[in-house]
Amino acid sequence: PGDERAVRLWDVETCKAIGEPLLGHDALITWVAFSPDGRHLASASQDGTVRIWDPTTRSELRILA
């Protein structure tokens, strides 16, 4: 079962989740995108925030409200 408030990263070759999900949103995530260089990930949610993540360290870098 999924949690629509978590961002999960997947290995496209094995179809398996990589590491722990990125948690922080309080509502359904509606959009996700990587930066062109792959160093950052942005997620937008119905909670009215956009969160910027470092996908390597899984740390939340910034919250935009």
Side-chain angles (χ1 to χ4, degrees):
D3 180 352
E4 294 83 10
R5 296 175 297 158
V7 175
R8 287 182 173 72
L9 302 177
W10 295 84
D11 181 316
V12 294
E13 292 182 8
T14 64
C15 298
K16 294 185 180 183
I18 302 169
E20 295 298 315
L22 307 177
L23 303 173
H25 286 292
D26 294 325
L28 178 70
I29 295 171
T30 56
W31 177 84
V32 227
F34 278 96
S35 62
D37 62 8
R39 293 178 52 207
H40 298 99
L41 173 74
S43 58
S45 169
Q46 289 179 347
D47 65 12
T49 65
V50 173
R51 294 174 187 261
I52 309 299
W53 309 86
D54 179 327
T56 303
T57 63
R58 296 191 166 1
S59 59
E60 185 178 79
L61 303 174
R62 178 174 286 179
I63 301 171
L64 308 170

